[in-house]
Amino acid sequence: MKKLLRNSLLLGAAVLGFSSVGSVVEAAPVDSSATADITPGTISLSSAPSFSFGTVPASANDATYTSTSVTGNISLADAGSGTGYTVTVSASPFTATDGSSLKNSQLLLDNSVTTPVTAVDADNVSTPPTLVSSLTLSSSPVTILSAASGSGVGAYTATYANSDASLKVPAGNIGGSYSSTLTWTLSDTPTTAPTTPTSTTTA
């Protein structure tokens, strides 16, 4: 019995000795790096909406017509420049093919979409551009969408509902098929030349 106990103690000591000799000393962590050189791209405006009022009856009095359909949307993209930008829109007078005009008419946009501007990529981390919801258009450009410096980076779409345009026609105008050209101009800061898509509005 004593011999067995003695052998057990010697074996335990041997194991402890082996564990001590075989222990691993932790080394200090080693740092390395990852780098990325991302070249800023350009800002572009690729499309704009067209509005249609369909066929409506003339009136002996002042009349306001509501659009029945919209085709397309405002599509723009900032490929990492972050300079900020502005989109303006102007509208030519409503004219017919024979050259007659819809005198003193006014085209109005009043966006009713809950979230009119959305990022194409759902995980976009930039602040989206801001759309001006209510505008009266004329031959002089007015700002409709803008992004401050550092905002509006990525691809975005601004949409209108079918009934978001109104056409005010004063009394005394003659019935006919009229159209107006809408000119949408992107100006970004500081260097890139403006881009100018056009769309149409028919009545």
Side-chain angles (χ1 to χ4, degrees):
M1 181 65 180
K2 290 181 178 181
K3 184 177 180 181
L4 180 60
L5 180 59
R6 181 172 175 273
N7 289 340
S8 297
L9 291 173
L10 289 173
L11 179 61
V15 171
L16 289 174
F18 177 79
S19 298
S20 177
V21 171
S23 62
V24 177
V25 178
E26 285 192 18
V30 176
D31 293 332
S32 64
S33 64
T35 61
D37 186 5
I38 301 175
T39 303
T42 59
I43 305 173
S44 60
L45 175 64
S46 57
S47 69
S50 293
F51 303 91
S52 175
F53 292 87
T55 300
V56 293
S59 174
N61 304 106
D62 292 349
T64 298
Y65 303 103
T66 300
S67 59
T68 56
S69 67
V70 57
T71 303
N73 48 48
I74 304 173
S75 296
L76 55 82
D78 178 355
S81 76
T83 60
Y85 48 82
T86 298
V87 176
T88 60
V89 59
S90 62
S92 68
F94 278 84
T95 56
T97 54
D98 62 1
S100 60
S101 63
L102 205 54
K103 299 174 184 177
N104 293 342
S105 62
Q106 285 185 312
L107 177 63
L108 296 83
L109 299 181
D110 190 5
N111 195 294
S112 64
V113 179
T114 302
T115 307
V117 180
T118 56
V120 173
D121 297 296
D123 57 354
N124 188 321
V125 296
S126 181
T127 301
T130 301
L131 181 77
V132 179
S133 59
S134 297
L135 286 175
T136 299
L137 305 189
S138 68
S139 58
S140 299
V142 290
T143 297
I144 192 166
L145 187 144
S146 62
S149 177
S151 300
V153 180
Y156 294 91
T157 299
T159 56
Y160 284 87
N162 287 333
S163 59
D164 280 351
S166 298
L167 179 60
K168 292 185 176 181
V169 180
N173 275 287
I174 299 171
S177 181
Y178 298 92
S179 65
S180 168
T181 297
L182 278 58
T183 301
W184 308 72
T185 302
L186 166 68
S187 299
D188 61 307
T189 307
T191 56
T192 304
T195 57
T196 310
T198 60
S199 59
T200 58
T201 298
T202 57

